[in-house]
Amino acid sequence: MKYKRILLKLSGEALMGEKNYGIDPNRLDQYAQEIKKIKELGVEVAIVIGGGNIFRGVQAENTGIDRVQGDYMGMLATLINAMALQSALEQNGMFTRLMSGIKVESVCEPFIRRRAIRHLEKGRIVIFGAGIGNPYFTTDSTASLRAIEVEADVVLKGTRVDGVYTADPEKDKTATKYDNLSFQEAYEKNLNIMDMTAFTLCQENNLPIVVFDMNKPGNLKKLIEGEIIGTLITTN
Ligand code: UDP
């Protein structure tokens, strides 16, 4: 196994599957099965899931809701996705804990770093819901921060493209994929991998990122086993 403890970042939008809004139960189940394959290898798994399929803070400004209020709504949206994912993981026989950045005591535990690490050591999948609990952040930043806090070896950013390209592959047919990149190169070439807060956190803490296609069955497992899947971004 290439990694012992990982943080998997899934976007909320990915959960829509073929739908335009909300959660596609087939996609949810597919993700649970992909995660089960790596759990069986013995890897410790933490997950951050976005909320873009339900609500985004920036969206609020167009509807007259103020930004901070909108961001809290976005954080609660991530919690709904996290609960759905928790349920799918448990239905597939995995043990999980959901920890929230905002206190919702009757639903899940608050985020406590030492406790999160303990859950991981015991083999439970830990899902971090409600972002970091502060407005003006994203779930990418949450993924970087929580990964550093729980001492994960890597952030695996599951997307619908198979890595980082020289240009947008959906628009430019000549675009080529990078297998490896340094943080510096990604920055200089203005490659949009994560928002700058999330990206800088990883860079400063020497935490590698892998961008990969989460929708391709078996990809996540191959990645954990050390195959070159997606794009690896490291310090050098
Ligand atoms: N959000 C926030 N603080 C956080 C994490 C998330 O305010 O720590 C809000 C923010 O408004 C964001 C929304 O939650 O737009 C949903 O998260 P995100 O857009 O990162 O989800 P994704 O695009 O990954 O689905």
Side-chain angles (χ1 to χ4, degrees), residues 9-13 50-53 55-57 70-71 74-75 78 131-140 142:
K9 161 76 207 306
L10 301 172
S11 80
E13 269 175 5
N53 55 324
F55 199 84
R56 279 214 172 87
D71 278 343
M75 285 184 256
T78 73
I132 61 170
N134 286 98
Y136 298 105
F137 287 90
T138 61
T139 47
D140 274 351
T142 310

Side-chain angles (χ1 to χ4, degrees), residues 11-12 24 72-73 96 105 164 195 199 207 219 222:
S11 80
D24 174 357
Y72 279 110
M73 290 167 72
T96 67
E105 279 157 26
V164 181
D195 62 77
F199 194 75
L207 175 70
N219 247 6
K222 286 183 192 157

Side-chain angles (χ1 to χ4, degrees), residues 144-180:
S144 309
L145 179 64
R146 293 292 186 244
I148 296 160
E149 287 180 287
V150 303
E151 294 162 14
D153 303 321
V154 66
V155 173
L156 303 181
K157 187 172 155 103
T159 64
R160 59 195 170 100
V161 284
D162 63 349
V164 181
Y165 279 75
T166 48
D168 183 347
E170 283 171 9
K171 292 183 191 138
D172 183 348
K173 291 278 167 272
T174 63
T176 52
K177 182 172 88 73
Y178 295 101
D179 286 338
N180 291 288

